Amino acid sequence: MDLSHLNPPQREAVLTTEGPLLVLAGAGSGKTRVITHRICHLLDKKVPARSILAVTFTNKAAAEMKERVVHMAGQRGTGVTLSTFHAFGAEVLREHLHKLGWPKRFAIVDTGDQIALVRRAMKERQIDDKTFDPRKVLTLISRAKNSGTEPQPRSAKRVINEDGDEEEDDGGELELAAHIVFPLYQLALKAQGAVDFDDLIVFPSRLFEKYPDIKTAYANRFRYIMVDEYQDTNKAQLDLLRHLGDSHHNVCVVGDDDQCIYSWRGAEVRNILDFEKLFPGGKEVRLEQNYRSNQVILDGANSVIEKNPARRAKRMWSETKGGPKITLCAAPSEEDEARWVASEVKRELMHGVRSDEIAILYRVNGQSRFLEEFLREREVRYDVAGGSEFFDQREVKDVIAYFKVIANPKDEISLLRIINTPARGIGDVTMERLTAWALENEIPLWKALERAAEVETLPKGAAEKIAEFVALMDRYRKRFTVGLQPGGAASKGGREDGPGTESKDTKKKGPRGSLSETTYELLQEIDFIAQARALAPSLASGDRKAQAVKHVLQSLENYEKREGPKASLLTYLNRLSLDTKDDEDEHQHSAGRVTLMTLHGAKGLEWKLVFMVGLEEDLLPHSGMQGELPNPEEERRLCYVGMTRARERLVMTRAVTRIKRGREVPRTPSRFLADIPEQLCDVVDLASAPKGPPTEKEQSFFANLREKLKQEREKTGTGLDTQERDG
């Protein structure tokens, strides 16, 4: 392979194949190029493709790497295992999970189902889910799993709230709730024959520890291991990696401690800072040449990140010297800030910059409100990344829940979701009595449904309606598991425009008897589509349920094309869960639109022009949620990540005042702004610039503000704060 187009450190990283290797890859330094070339170099050295494992964090990144490897190495590259951590863990469990007491065929629950299980466990232990948010309880459970422990109660502590007052947090009680709920949550997963996303990482390590022969088999197979985005790994992922590599030590990790911004998700920056301790004899190669940003942007970003005390020293540089200075804008208020940013965006668009080459980045989602308002006013098209994903929509989750119950009747969360969707006369009272009867007789809920005629406490007629539902699900369980190819049991039916008429759409969608065909028939039979007609006419009404069917069918058909004869409903559901989890941070945005996105979401992306808004203390760096200590070092890394998203121009803005609880309060400029050398900056001071007469909208805004201040003054009996403005 010709490596002449790589710079010297990149070549060194590619050619160093034996022993532990840390590739310290700064922002925009070509780390993907290094990983793909290293894989191809190993293939050139006659290393079998099946002996190479490369793991990363998203399906998109894994797919792009695989495509590049195959393009460079040809057919040899198809045998390399390139996957996400979760997908690799799922493959291990598919072979061996039964050794831990789980069934051989297991399901992977999504976040919604996890929350439902937590809520049910809280109810069983009489923990109020209004006092303790099940999402927060689940977060504590997840963090504990990823750190190799169980949730442990702790004493409450004194914290400073957002008003600057000292108070006692409820963290101790929340962690006690997680400690109580955790064993019930795990039992519920096991009872349903399911695992969660954290188990996909934790359980393989548990298998390797309990069964050394399994560990040896995987270590012998994967002789060369590479990890992308290593700075984002947690303890559980590190443990799995060390198990795989502790016999041959050929572990190459690629990452940047300066871009470790996910500690709240369990990422451990110490994994990269302590690399030599974790992997004795390790070598370090630094990639410091940046191929994305100009030198002005890099000098500013370097000046910010160098203030972090715990980091591996490096200084990014670019062959693109010069460039426009970094614009620092101070606006009188958050509304003025948003108005100015929107005007600048509009001006850049009129000067020929493409919409999809512009991004507005902020620390918290709430900052987008004014920005959206003023972008709409200027008729600028935009996308807000991080909104509700397609597979999170209620109608789609209903469809998927039917699949889950067909594949796994033990999935009581999905069963309770669909038992009366659409309405079939099986209400809450019926289900409460049936659930109580199931618990009393120590049988699963599905078995109780099958024996509903024996439950004397059910309302009149309920048993017959339940029997119809059970018959429907049994009928389709057979259809999905027997003969899904043409000529099999599932091909007896087809999509119909009317009695005895085959739909034209059937021929377009592939052979009858496929997963998607059977799915369509099921959804017709449960009246999920308003009318049992061909798909295209159903969509003409714009009905959300029909749209859900369309997208789910498309997803199924794409899966069937990839898997061919190996396609199965359970495998599809597990793949869907993995895809949703692994790509949860990958924001898709439309071409021709300006991107609005959080700084966390922007990692790995780039734009020609980047606006970073809200550069103020308590926003960036963020003061942290109540009960959590702020993490100034990670906030500094987050600022660095945002700055290095810009290729040609970077604009950083702040507001002098913001409205907080009806009051206009002064804001302190972010400490990060003071770290950028003055000679790199152009300052725009809107706060001291003369302003024209207020617009009608501004008059209304400040009139409302004055009224809020007046009401607050009357309520508290105090005068206006000297820092407050009268508009």
Side-chain angles (χ1 to χ4, degrees):
M1 177 180 295
D2 180 15
L3 304 179
S4 61
H5 58 287
L6 302 181
N7 65 40
Q10 288 176 334
R11 281 198 298 275
E12 184 180 5
V14 169
L15 296 173
T16 304
T17 59
E18 307 304 310
L21 174 66
L22 167 62
V23 181
L24 205 58
S29 61
K31 65 180 179 63
T32 303
R33 175 189 291 187
V34 167
I35 294 172
T36 53
H37 278 72
R38 195 171 187 275
I39 291 172
C40 293
H41 176 64
L42 287 169
L43 293 173
D44 280 351
K45 288 182 63 177
K46 307 303 181 185
V47 173
R50 71 183 307 274
S51 297
I52 302 173
L53 168 66
V55 289
T56 186
F57 281 84
T58 68
N59 289 289
K60 181 181 177 183
E64 288 177 352
M65 283 188 192
K66 187 70 173 252
E67 185 178 347
R68 290 172 67 168
V69 167
V70 172
H71 176 74
M72 293 163 60
Q75 201 62 25
R76 296 178 300 166
T78 58
V80 175
T81 301
L82 266 158
S83 75
T84 65
F85 273 101
H86 290 104
F88 175 76
E91 286 297 322
V92 174
L93 297 188
R94 202 162 286 127
E95 294 292 325
H96 306 291
L97 182 60
H98 63 280
K99 291 183 171 66
L100 296 180
W102 262 253
K104 284 192 174 183
R105 289 168 55 85
F106 64 90
I108 303 170
V109 295
D110 61 19
T111 304
D113 290 342
Q114 288 179 271
I115 293 169
L117 288 173
V118 168
R119 182 174 280 112
R120 191 168 72 179
M122 291 172 68
K123 184 177 181 181
E124 189 171 333
R125 286 293 183 261
Q126 298 181 325
I127 300 173
D128 186 6
D129 62 5
K130 293 183 174 61
T131 303
F132 301 102
D133 184 351
R135 285 183 177 273
K136 292 183 179 179
V137 173
L138 178 61
T139 296
L140 291 178
I141 290 173
S142 178
R143 286 181 183 174
K145 284 188 176 186
N146 288 326
S147 63
T149 62
E150 295 185 5
Q152 296 298 327
R154 64 168 174 80
S155 301
K157 59 186 177 182
R158 307 296 290 179
V159 296
I160 304 299
N161 66 22
E162 60 182 11
D163 292 324
D165 301 322
E166 189 178 89
E167 65 179 25
E168 191 170 272
D169 79 335
D170 65 350
E173 294 183 358
L174 187 65
E175 292 186 358
L176 177 60
H179 174 73
I180 295 170
V181 164
F182 176 72
L184 290 179
Y185 169 76
Q186 283 299 108
L187 281 174
L189 284 174
K190 192 170 186 179
Q192 293 189 15
V195 297
D196 65 18
F197 301 113
D198 301 316
D199 294 333
L200 294 176
I201 309 298
V202 174
F203 283 1
S205 287
R206 193 172 297 174
L207 279 165
F208 293 160
E209 291 163 4
K210 193 172 182 179
Y211 300 98
D213 57 321
I214 297 177
K215 172 180 172 177
T216 300
Y218 279 94
N220 287 342
R221 176 185 170 183
F222 295 113
R223 305 290 298 175
Y224 294 89
I225 301 170
M226 275 163 278
V227 182
D228 186 24
E229 302 287 3
Y230 178 65
Q231 76 281 344
D232 293 337
T233 54
N234 56 40
K235 184 181 183 300
Q237 289 159 337
L238 175 66
D239 289 345
L240 179 59
L241 179 61
R242 295 178 75 186
H243 277 300
L244 291 170
D246 69 359
S247 61
H248 51 71
H249 307 296
N250 296 327
V251 177
C252 170
V253 301
V254 184
D256 180 11
D257 54 309
D258 290 337
Q259 297 186 73
C260 182
I261 59 174
Y262 296 127
S263 66
W264 45 274
R265 196 189 284 165
E268 291 277 359
V269 71
R270 302 306 314 180
N271 288 356
I272 199 167
L273 296 178
D274 297 339
F275 179 76
E276 290 83 1
K277 296 179 183 177
L278 297 167
F279 297 91
K283 177 180 178 180
E284 177 189 301
V285 175
R286 298 182 188 178
L287 307 182
E288 296 177 291
Q289 182 176 357
N290 180 287
Y291 293 92
R292 175 190 301 149
S293 307
N294 61 46
Q295 193 62 50
V296 171
I297 292 170
L298 292 177
D299 285 344
N302 285 333
S303 299
V304 170
I305 199 62
E306 284 170 355
K307 299 295 191 299
N308 257 0
R311 65 184 290 265
R312 287 181 176 260
K314 56 189 166 299
R315 187 171 182 85
M316 302 305 297
W317 62 275
S318 171
E319 290 184 344
T320 306
K321 305 301 180 185
K325 290 185 176 182
I326 299 171
T327 302
L328 305 183
C329 176
S333 68
E334 58 190 314
E335 190 174 8
D336 293 314
E337 177 190 43
R339 182 189 293 107
W340 183 83
V341 169
S343 297
E344 284 293 294
V345 169
K346 183 69 173 180
R347 186 172 67 83
E348 292 291 335
L349 293 174
M350 293 177 68
H351 281 79
V353 178
R354 294 205 329 260
S355 299
D356 55 7
E357 286 280 26
I358 301 175
I360 304 173
L361 308 180
Y362 36 77
R363 180 62 177 81
V364 295
N365 282 306
Q367 291 175 258
S368 72
R369 184 169 61 92
F370 278 133
L371 291 164
E372 292 185 65
E373 185 177 334
F374 287 113
L375 288 171
R376 283 196 299 266
E377 189 177 283
R378 285 155 182 75
E379 298 181 338
V380 174
R381 298 176 54 152
Y382 64 88
D383 269 344
V384 180
S388 176
E389 296 296 327
F390 169 72
F391 284 102
D392 287 334
Q393 295 177 16
R394 177 174 57 84
E395 289 82 5
V396 177
K397 288 181 77 71
D398 289 343
V399 175
I400 300 301
Y402 272 96
F403 293 171
K404 288 183 176 181
V405 173
I406 288 171
N408 178 20
K410 294 181 180 179
D411 186 345
E412 296 184 2
I413 299 299
S414 297
L415 180 57
L416 290 170
R417 183 182 186 98
I418 65 169
I419 190 72
N420 203 37
T421 303
R424 51 173 62 89
I426 307 175
D428 291 342
V429 172
T430 297
M431 292 312 299
E432 282 181 15
R433 294 177 182 177
L434 197 67
T435 301
W437 190 83
L439 289 171
E440 182 181 335
N441 288 272
E442 298 182 344
I443 61 173
L445 182 57
W446 179 260
K447 291 296 182 184
L449 289 174
E450 293 179 324
R451 296 169 57 183
E454 302 175 33
V455 185
E456 298 177 353
T457 57
L458 291 183
K460 186 178 180 180
E464 290 80 3
K465 293 169 183 173
I466 291 172
E468 291 175 5
F469 172 75
V470 170
L472 172 72
M473 301 306 286
D474 281 343
R475 185 161 63 251
Y476 276 92
R477 185 169 297 113
K478 293 174 183 176
R479 297 279 291 277
F480 274 107
T481 55
V482 180
L484 286 178
Q485 299 305 313
S491 65
K492 294 179 181 178
R495 298 178 189 170
E496 296 180 345
D497 293 313
T501 305
E502 180 177 292
S503 158
K504 294 179 181 178
D505 197 53
T506 301
K507 297 175 182 177
K508 294 181 184 177
K509 295 294 180 180
R512 291 182 296 175
S514 66
L515 289 178
S516 49
E517 281 292 329
T518 309
T519 298
Y520 188 84
E521 294 159 19
L522 166 66
L523 297 177
Q524 285 183 327
E525 190 163 349
I526 63 175
D527 198 29
F528 197 83
I529 308 174
Q531 298 173 335
R533 300 170 61 190
L535 183 59
S538 299
L539 292 178
S541 64
D543 179 72
R544 283 176 61 91
K545 292 182 179 180
Q547 291 288 347
V549 172
K550 173 187 175 184
H551 287 290
V552 170
L553 286 174
Q554 188 62 58
S555 170
L556 267 169
E557 288 167 1
N558 291 340
Y559 161 76
E560 288 179 288
K561 288 177 183 176
R562 292 194 306 267
E563 297 297 315
K566 296 186 296 181
S568 74
L569 185 61
L570 183 62
T571 306
Y572 167 73
L573 292 172
N574 284 343
R575 182 72 57 84
L576 186 66
S577 295
L578 282 170
D579 289 350
T580 304
K581 172 64 177 177
D582 287 331
D583 292 336
E584 63 185 6
D585 297 306
E586 298 235 337
H587 304 300
Q588 305 295 326
H589 50 276
S590 306
R593 293 176 184 256
V594 174
T595 299
L596 275 66
M597 181 182 285
T598 65
L599 288 162
H600 282 101
K603 183 171 173 290
L605 304 177
E606 62 181 72
W607 295 269
K608 182 177 182 178
L609 168 59
V610 169
F611 292 85
M612 289 176 61
V613 301
L615 269 291
E616 305 147 27
E617 293 293 304
D618 297 333
L619 263 182
L620 188 64
H622 198 270
S623 58
M625 297 173 62
Q626 181 178 317
E628 293 181 1
L629 292 175
N631 189 337
E633 291 187 16
E634 181 155 324
E635 292 295 309
R636 188 175 290 277
R637 294 195 289 267
L638 190 58
C639 183
Y640 171 79
V641 166
M643 296 176 74
T644 53
R645 299 311 95 195
R647 293 200 305 270
E648 296 184 15
R649 186 184 171 207
L650 174 63
V651 180
M652 307 174 80
T653 70
R654 68 179 180 89
V656 176
T657 63
R658 286 187 189 269
I659 301 297
K660 189 173 182 181
R661 297 186 179 179
R663 288 190 173 190
E664 190 176 39
V665 296
R667 305 289 292 177
T668 303
S670 170
R671 67 192 71 178
F672 305 145
L673 294 178
D675 296 330
I676 305 173
E678 290 184 17
Q679 64 268 24
L680 297 179
C681 304
D682 274 333
V683 178
V684 178
D685 188 1
L686 301 179
S688 60
K691 298 182 66 175
T695 64
E696 182 178 336
K697 182 176 180 180
E698 289 172 330
Q699 289 175 336
S700 173
F701 174 81
F702 285 114
N704 291 335
L705 171 61
R706 283 194 294 272
E707 181 60 29
K708 289 180 180 178
L709 292 174
K710 179 182 176 183
Q711 293 173 0
E712 188 160 338
R713 184 172 67 248
E714 291 173 350
K715 182 179 178 181
T716 60
T718 61
L720 285 174
D721 190 293
T722 56
Q723 295 292 333
E724 292 173 346
R725 297 155 52 94
D726 61 6

